[in-house]
Amino acid sequence: MTVGTSRPAAREGALVGRGAGASAGHAAPGTGVPGIDPDDLPDGLVVADGDGRVVCFNTAAERLTAVPRAEALGRPLEQALPLEDLKGRRWWALTDPYGGLAIRGGQPERNLLLPGNREVLVAARYVRDEPLGPVRKVVVTLRGTEARRRTERSHAELIATVAHELRSPLTSVKGFTATLLAKWERFTDDQKRLMLETVDADANRVTRLIAELLDISRIDSGRLEVRRQPVDISAAVGRHIQAHTARGQSPDRFFVRVRRPLPDLWADPDKIDQVLGNLLENAVRHGEGTVTIEVAPTGPYDDEKGTAVTVSDEGPGIPEESMGRVFTRFWRGSKRGGTGLGLYIVKGIVEAHGGTITVGRGPAGGAQFRFTLPVGAPSYLT
């Protein structure tokens, strides 16, 4: 079904013909928002009038389609934007926005192909003056697929990492339990204890990995819950150092400096333990020399009043070119080992508390991590 060009559509074409921008006090073509120029939009915008001819073709659409605006304006929509689905079928013939079902309001976003097999994400909305009336305008948005592909690659890498990290401990657990069940009487008590301790350690490794995955899911979806309670962060630092010394580290390797008075801190104690544990583990495993932990009130250059914790070592440090990637998924630095998810989770936890975390070079040249936690409020007040 085709209908004559309505007065609003004709006015849009006139405005676009003067440069696709909105004049002062008028709505920008295709946006309906005063003062917004379609060329300011980050996504491609294509608008066709009631006759199916293009009246708006912004700069992002030019970039994504490689079609000059002058060639697109005034042409039929299916010619200015020749889209095909992934099976090679012409999209406009399939969807038929002007002659299709009158109850249809548009098309959800999907992957389509431009000439040359270039993929774009396309969504469309059909504008009618009244329900079930003729289509007065078709508004099409275009987006590149790079962001979606990066997300897909990240998910694929996460799955591959999880599969790799699970395979080793599960193989060990399966092997030792099968051996014990089949040949229990042949082993001494010490041999049985050694195998069971190995199974227990591998089971803990799997548990930690599952906890990391749950944390990532909550961080990515914005559902990480923070249960605020009073936290003595200097005492928490002391507990982590005691745990490291109990596992064989020399007490002399750690130096703690606490600058008092510290403000009251309301935070999630379990998650703060997770942050401290990860940063200290990194300093011990990847750094060298003395590990210095400083706990102090935030300074004048910090955004909010609260507590700042700095963990630094005397190792080789993090290369300057890598510092921007430290808190991304799967960053492992120069040494392999681990999932590379710990610092990503640390950043998510700190930010869920309203704080910030940074990385730099310490006074002795090693890596230095500093995170801040605002004073916060108890959970029953949030």
Side-chain angles (χ1 to χ4, degrees):
M1 178 187 297
T2 59
V3 296
T5 306
S6 63
R7 290 176 60 86
R11 180 169 60 84
E12 286 169 358
L15 284 171
V16 175
R18 292 201 300 267
S23 57
H26 292 280
T31 66
V33 180
I36 299 296
D37 190 322
D39 288 342
D40 294 335
L41 299 175
D43 296 335
L45 176 68
V46 180
V47 181
D49 63 14
D51 288 326
R53 294 188 177 275
V54 174
V55 296
C56 177
F57 202 85
N58 72 350
T59 300
E62 284 188 288
R63 174 177 52 81
L64 289 167
T65 63
V67 175
R69 188 198 323 260
E71 292 185 14
L73 290 174
R75 296 181 67 189
L77 183 58
E78 63 271 17
Q79 295 179 18
L81 202 60
L83 295 166
E84 295 181 351
D85 66 13
L86 300 183
K87 296 181 179 179
R89 298 174 297 185
R90 293 169 56 200
W91 194 56
W92 298 114
L94 287 175
T95 57
D96 193 12
Y98 293 96
L101 292 174
I103 60 172
R104 184 171 293 159
Q107 295 292 331
E109 187 175 71
R110 65 189 68 194
N111 276 45
L112 296 175
L113 298 176
L114 288 165
N117 288 326
R118 285 175 298 155
E119 280 193 55
V120 285
L121 297 170
V122 181
R125 179 170 177 263
Y126 308 154
V127 180
R128 295 178 169 87
D129 286 330
E130 57 184 24
L132 307 182
V135 173
R136 178 173 65 85
K137 183 164 54 178
V138 174
V139 181
V140 182
T141 59
L142 308 171
R143 292 196 300 129
T145 59
E146 295 81 4
R148 176 173 289 187
R149 290 194 180 279
R150 283 196 299 270
T151 301
E152 290 173 350
R153 283 196 298 269
S154 178
H155 288 165
E157 190 172 357
L158 179 61
I159 292 170
T161 299
V162 171
H164 174 77
E165 292 294 325
L166 285 175
R167 184 183 298 115
S168 178
L170 290 178
T171 299
S172 171
V173 168
K174 178 63 178 174
F176 278 121
T177 53
T179 301
L180 284 170
L181 288 172
K183 302 177 181 179
W184 179 267
E185 301 297 335
R186 299 186 186 182
F187 296 108
T188 65
D189 288 345
D190 287 342
Q191 290 172 325
K192 293 174 184 175
R193 175 177 292 276
L194 177 62
M195 286 190 276
L196 289 173
E197 287 175 347
T198 304
V199 168
D200 184 63
D202 286 331
N204 287 337
R205 181 176 165 188
V206 172
T207 301
R208 285 195 299 272
L209 178 60
I210 292 172
E212 285 184 342
L213 294 175
L214 289 173
D215 285 337
I216 286 175
S217 173
R218 292 174 182 133
I219 289 169
D220 288 348
S221 63
R223 294 185 294 106
L224 187 67
E225 293 185 6
V226 175
R227 303 183 185 278
R228 296 183 186 271
Q229 303 173 33
V231 173
D232 185 342
I233 199 161
S234 57
V237 169
R239 289 195 302 272
H240 281 278
I241 291 175
Q242 288 177 356
H244 279 284
T245 56
R247 293 197 294 266
Q249 290 292 328
S250 170
D252 294 335
R253 189 168 184 196
F254 302 95
F255 177 73
V256 180
R257 182 188 300 117
V258 180
R259 300 186 184 277
R260 301 184 185 276
L262 294 174
D264 293 336
L265 176 64
W266 290 79
D268 189 314
D270 292 335
K271 290 181 172 56
I272 298 305
D273 272 343
Q274 195 173 347
V275 170
L276 291 172
N278 192 289
L279 295 180
L280 285 172
E281 182 69 25
N282 280 348
V284 169
R285 179 181 298 177
H286 303 296
E288 298 172 4
T290 301
V291 176
T292 301
I293 305 100
E294 179 178 272
V295 182
T298 52
Y301 298 105
D302 293 303
D303 293 334
E304 293 188 64
K305 179 183 176 182
T307 303
V309 180
T310 305
V311 179
S312 56
D313 62 71
E314 299 175 345
I318 298 169
E320 196 73 29
E321 63 273 14
S322 299
M323 286 189 179
R325 298 184 286 110
V326 166
F327 298 109
T328 59
R329 290 184 184 182
F330 311 117
W331 186 86
R332 298 184 180 91
S334 58
K335 296 182 180 179
R336 303 293 292 179
T339 60
L341 300 173
L343 290 175
Y344 177 81
I345 294 171
V346 163
K347 182 174 185 287
I349 291 174
V350 170
E351 291 181 347
H353 281 80
T356 60
I357 185 167
T358 57
V359 61
R361 193 167 294 280
Q368 177 173 284
F369 290 87
R370 181 180 186 269
F371 68 93
T372 63
L373 298 170
V375 172
S379 295
Y380 61 81
L381 293 179
T382 60

